Amino acid sequence: MGTLNIEELLNQMTIEEKASLCSGADFWHTEAIERLGLPAAMLSDGPHGLRKQDKTADHLGTGESIKAVCFPTASAMACSFDRELIYNVGSALGEECQAENVNVLLGPGINMKRSPLCGRNFEYYSEDPCLAGELGAAFVNGVQSQGAGTSLKHFAANSQEWRRMSISSEVDERTLREIYLAAFEKTVKKAQPWTIMCSYNKINGTYSCENDWLLNKVLRDEWGFEGLVMTDWGAMNNRIEALKAGLDLEMPSSHGETDKLITAAVKDGSLPAEVLDKAVKRVLELVDKSITNKRHASYNKEEHHSLVKKTAINSAVLLKNNGVLPLSGNENIAIIGQFADIPRIQGGGSSHINCFKTESALQALGNAVNAKYTYSQGYATDKDETGTVLLEEALQNAAAADVAVIFAGLPESFESEGFDRTHLNMPECQNHLIEEIYKVQKNIVIVLHNGSPVAMPWLDKAGAVLEMYLAGQASGAAAVDLLFGRANPSGKLAETFPLRLEDNPSYLNFPGSRDKVRYSEGVFIGYRYYDKKHMDVLFPFGYGLSYTTFRYSNLRIETGGVVANNCPGTIPKIQDTDQVKVYVDITNTGNRAGAEIVQLYVKNFIGLENRPEKELKNFAKVFLEPGETKTACMELDFRSFAYFNETLKDWFAESGTYGILIGASSRDIKLSREVKITASKKIPFHACDTTTCKDVELFADSTKPLDEMLLMIKNGNEADNEKALCIMKTAFEETPIHSILSFSSNALKYEDIKETLKKLNGTVS
Ligand code: BGC
């Protein structure tokens, strides 16, 4: 039950008042109407902390905001593959919103990582829509469980910063549906965010904010989105077209300018009053939800700091380990690198949080058990230059130690909202430092702070590499716990680290020309591309090590409550609409507690459509004591097997064999099983002159009419019709029906062709 009488308010409002609600009152508030007792709602960035601005207003992250808690960024959190953890982060942020009177947190960002260069990748989860959608839904549900709203962003196909306010993302519908919209669809269906934020860019020539297909048809009619759609800050183009397309709220304030346009358009009849009413109603519903769900809350900053640490620990990815980690604590350790003292914990731009405190590795080491260590800064982050004094000091300390732990990565100037990277390199001074240290100390551990993949020219020299990403304000404390084995790394990569930038599928078309960027790689983004081309990568999607080991066993498939016969060679048969449950046992075979991320990929063996080798369709994170076994259960449904068929304009899972692959990473499949799917949908088939014989074979109800026609031109042994037919069908596979005439040695007339087509189309029997 709401608080406001929305129908009554709508009745009482003048057109001018209605129009005023369609744009912000200022940078962060919706418009209030005092005369009617209607308050404003407050919106604040987001996503991995609260950036509430009390006194200033900017969307660049430069102005002051209140002291808050900085959680790990999305690129880090995604590596946890942990829905519950991300729900808890969302819930903590919801609490902060309530305490600070913020009604909507502007996040999460769930755009796909098309290129590792996108400057804002740190704010996005993954290159995989299943992972991004599941985690996006968990985050939204968490925030909204506290009675605060979210704004799912940036809708859609906004995977670069370069010309982000004007570029047109040129993407075919199948690719949009399967990759760039899929995470939004999942999140909307699983979590109903209060609002969605439209991206700046155009999609196939139409601004997202004015895209009737995107907002009215797909988002609302198809997916059932019930909330409000707002612009990204300053993304409005044509206010009237946007309203018609389903864009409710323009942010920030237009200072009354576009409100005047709306009023005039309703008055001159070019904008139907009902269209305006719909948008106003959604603004009123948002304000109503804000009032109705308001709680007088406070939150414990230190508790949230602990949650930051827990999240950072569970998200870190151990990329390499020759046994040097975990450290015993008895070594002489040379801690090297400025990030050990001043960690890079978040990205630049609108998501920038004013942390109430930061815990660096050096601070955390001070509290650690008996660790004997020296610290040398090694490099500076404000310029990419090797400082002789800094280098000398680092070399001396490294030489005198048992192990060098080098904190390295990308300074803020290398990646941020507002621009894309042009290469994957870390600062040259840091790479050089690592090479030099190796000359005096062979035992090297690298701890990385970066928002997105980097090249690692020194990888073979490192004994261990711990990828922390941008892990929030407790990043140093988390790193120290992981280094000393007080916690066991359990994150896995939510994106591929390529060997070279040039290997990336978007390489030839990123960031595009002046006004267009073609997503010419189609659905082959990230591992979907590298797998299809059997390419080596630096680290694959879903990869990450642990201090313990796991065994995978006993893969079972259940449909309709019945577990399929597990005998080798038996293939379970499934209707495409059946709910499928996949079970697998995971055992911790080492001597430390740890968590394993189990990944379920589906492979299509049919090959009618050009599909990826395999696609992630579910995952589970299993926490295990040494020796313990638990069963991971993962569900699949129709969409797990389907692709978007452009002829049907719908999802379609063709009949045939599919693989259920259980992996420890996308390149480490432990167990697999085949299932046979029967399709419930049919691709409409109409035979015409140019239909090929193969298409008849694949799509017609019966091939009999074609078989009969082929037999008319058969020559040779009369008795062996079947063999002859088989040979002819193979020979004519790619031949259009009317062209068979040319090869029929006069045995066929054009009338026979016409007759066959009629029979195939069912007009005569
Ligand atoms: C960003 C959004 C952000 C908004 C408000 C825009 O520039 O793209 O993600 O929420 O500013 O700061």
Side-chain angles (χ1 to χ4, degrees), residues 27-28 44-47 51 53 58-61 106-107 120 123-124 153-154 158 161 164-165 197 200 231-234 349-351 417:
F27 221 77
W28 301 119
S44 279
D45 281 313
R51 183 172 173 265
Q53 292 192 298
D58 74 277
H59 65 305
L60 306 170
L106 300 174
R120 224 172 164 179
E123 251 186 277
Y124 302 143
K153 65 191 186 183
H154 308 91
N158 175 192
E161 289 301 279
R164 66 171 168 160
M165 295 185 84
M197 187 189 292
Y200 286 120
T231 61
D232 197 343
W233 267 231
S350 60
S351 65
E417 176 179 347

Side-chain angles (χ1 to χ4, degrees), residues 77-91 125 130-142 186 190 597-598 600 616-623 633-635:
M77 278 201 283
C79 299
S80 73
F81 280 66
D82 190 336
R83 298 167 178 94
E84 194 183 322
L85 181 69
I86 289 179
Y87 178 94
N88 291 339
V89 169
S91 167
Y125 289 116
C130 167
L131 181 59
E134 287 291 324
L135 301 185
F139 184 91
V140 170
N141 278 326
K186 207 183 247 296
K190 286 193 151 189
I597 294 165
V598 185
L600 194 172
L616 185 78
K617 295 297 170 183
N618 210 335
F619 55 89
K621 191 162 189 175
V622 188
F623 295 83
C633 172
M634 293 164 283
E635 293 189 8

Side-chain angles (χ1 to χ4, degrees), residues 332-342 361-362 365 373-380 390-401 403-409 429-430 432-434 436-438 440-441 443-449 483:
N332 283 312
I333 307 166
I335 301 285
I336 297 167
Q338 199 180 20
F339 283 156
D341 185 21
I342 311 170
L362 281 187
L365 267 167
Y373 68 94
T374 55
Y375 168 67
S376 20
Q377 184 185 320
Y379 58 83
L390 292 182
L391 180 61
E392 280 309 316
E393 185 198 14
L395 287 174
Q396 263 180 27
N397 285 340
V403 56
V405 178
I406 307 174
F407 285 72
C429 67
Q430 293 191 29
H432 180 66
L433 174 74
I434 295 170
E436 291 299 303
I437 299 272
Y438 185 72
V440 299
Q441 173 57 261
N443 232 358
I444 291 183
V445 174
I446 309 285
V447 180
L448 288 174
H449 290 312
L483 289 170

Side-chain angles (χ1 to χ4, degrees), residues 288-530:
D288 186 43
K289 275 189 212 160
S290 308
I291 307 169
T292 309
N293 291 291
K294 180 69 204 135
R295 298 175 197 169
H296 293 284
S298 61
Y299 71 99
N300 183 323
K301 283 199 167 86
E302 288 299 336
E303 271 175 22
H304 286 197
H305 182 79
S306 303
L307 180 58
V308 173
K309 181 175 165 189
K310 181 178 173 194
T311 311
I313 285 175
N314 284 289
S315 305
V317 187
L318 184 61
L319 293 175
K320 181 175 177 187
N321 190 14
N322 65 1
V324 59
L325 289 183
L327 301 171
S328 68
N330 299 322
E331 305 90 343
N332 283 312
I333 307 166
I335 301 285
I336 297 167
Q338 199 180 20
F339 283 156
D341 185 21
I342 311 170
R344 178 146 179 262
I345 60 167
Q346 60 176 325
S350 60
S351 65
H352 206 270
I353 306 303
N354 183 6
C355 308
F356 83 90
K357 77 170 185 188
T358 306
E359 228 180 332
S360 70
L362 281 187
Q363 280 167 319
L365 267 167
N367 310 327
V369 271
N370 300 330
K372 294 183 287 300
Y373 68 94
T374 55
Y375 168 67
S376 20
Q377 184 185 320
Y379 58 83
T381 47
D382 56 351
K383 51 184 182 307
D384 187 2
E385 274 172 25
T386 299
T388 327
V389 179
L390 292 182
L391 180 61
E392 280 309 316
E393 185 198 14
L395 287 174
Q396 263 180 27
N397 285 340
D402 301 317
V403 56
V405 178
I406 307 174
F407 285 72
L410 297 176
E412 191 156 317
S413 59
F414 273 55
E415 60 179 346
S416 167
E417 176 179 347
F419 64 87
D420 296 316
R421 291 191 292 167
T422 52
H423 57 76
L424 300 180
N425 301 333
M426 294 190 341
E428 202 31 56
C429 67
Q430 293 191 29
N431 286 336
H432 180 66
L433 174 74
I434 295 170
E435 300 285 345
E436 291 299 303
I437 299 272
Y438 185 72
K439 290 180 186 159
V440 299
Q441 173 57 261
K442 296 289 180 261
N443 232 358
I444 291 183
V445 174
I446 309 285
V447 180
L448 288 174
H449 290 312
N450 45 307
S452 40
V454 290
M456 302 182 198
W458 34 257
L459 185 59
D460 57 343
K461 303 199 171 80
V465 181
L466 180 64
E467 174 60 83
M468 294 299 295
Y469 275 100
L470 305 177
Q473 63 179 54
S475 138
V480 167
D481 273 12
L482 289 163
L483 289 170
F484 286 91
R486 292 191 298 223
N488 191 349
S490 64
K492 296 200 179 187
L493 291 178
E495 61 188 316
T496 310
F497 277 43
L499 276 174
R500 309 177 316 144
L501 174 62
E502 293 82 347
D503 291 349
N504 181 261
S506 72
Y507 183 72
L508 293 177
N509 287 294
F510 183 94
S513 61
R514 214 177 125 245
D515 53 0
K516 281 183 184 159
V517 50
R518 288 183 203 288
Y519 286 36
S520 50
E521 68 284 359
V523 298
F524 297 97
I525 158 179
Y527 69 89
R528 287 166 167 77
Y529 176 82
Y530 300 116

